[in-house]
Amino acid sequence: MPRPLGELEDSVMTRVWKWNRPVTVREVLEDLRQERSIAYTTVMTVLDNLHQKGWVRREAEGRAYRYEAVSTRAAYAAALMNDAWSQSDNPAAALVAFFGMMSEEQRHALRDAVRIVQGPETPEPAPDTAPDTGGENPGSAPGAGGR
């Protein structure tokens, strides 16, 4: 697994991922300059480093290059999570702690992802649904339940 991206690498890759097409150093530079003062050579070096690390591929266009992401931001995030989880001495506890940090929206996204990975299954009854006991509920009939 490649090392996590540094702050400037992440800023550059965010643009490459967002635009989802081959980009030039100049395009990234102009967008970054809306947030910070940065030199052309700095952006060129960062993109070259990202190429050497395998995050982007490049194709020559005249005397310059166009850079394109090798994988998605989602794949990058998944690789980071997998790497962190695999380094834990107690993976189950790490997952419990991670799930505890999640927002309700993130937990819903997790449930959706698990459903997608597991594929079609027989739907389980909702947690608040009582199990089917053949139409009889021992607690509802007088004298039922062995009392």
Side-chain angles (χ1 to χ4, degrees):
M1 140 89 194
R3 290 190 343 257
L5 297 172
E7 187 266 329
L8 186 53
E9 289 174 327
D10 186 70
S11 291
V12 169
M13 282 305 300
T14 294
R15 284 149 179 86
V16 175
W17 282 318
K18 181 177 77 173
W19 296 335
N20 197 27
R21 61 173 173 75
V23 300
T24 64
V25 172
R26 176 94 29 220
E27 289 174 307
V28 175
L29 172 72
E30 289 173 6
D31 201 59
L32 281 170
R33 281 189 172 163
Q34 295 176 24
E35 298 173 0
R36 65 176 87 190
S37 175
I38 191 166
Y40 180 92
T41 53
T42 301
V43 177
M44 185 174 63
T45 299
V46 169
L47 280 164
D48 185 58
N49 289 343
L50 289 167
H51 176 256
Q52 290 178 23
K53 292 177 179 182
W55 289 107
V56 295
R57 67 176 67 85
R58 67 184 180 192
E59 189 170 317
E61 185 175 277
R63 292 181 8 194
Y65 289 106
R66 283 201 173 267
Y67 296 87
E68 186 174 18
V70 169
S71 64
T72 64
R73 182 163 204 117
Y76 169 65
L80 288 178
M81 289 186 286
N82 186 58
D83 188 53
W85 186 47
S86 67
Q87 292 181 33
S88 173
D89 60 346
N90 187 341
L95 283 175
V96 169
F98 180 62
F99 297 156
M101 295 177 199
M102 293 176 136
S103 68
E104 189 61 29
E105 181 180 324
Q106 290 169 322
R107 284 192 291 275
H108 284 295
L110 174 65
R111 286 185 201 107
D112 291 343
V114 168
R115 280 189 212 105
I116 290 167
V117 170
Q118 288 178 337
E121 290 184 11
T122 306
E124 295 182 25
D128 59 343
T129 304
D132 185 9
T133 58
E136 294 185 22
N137 185 346
S140 64
R147 291 184 202 180

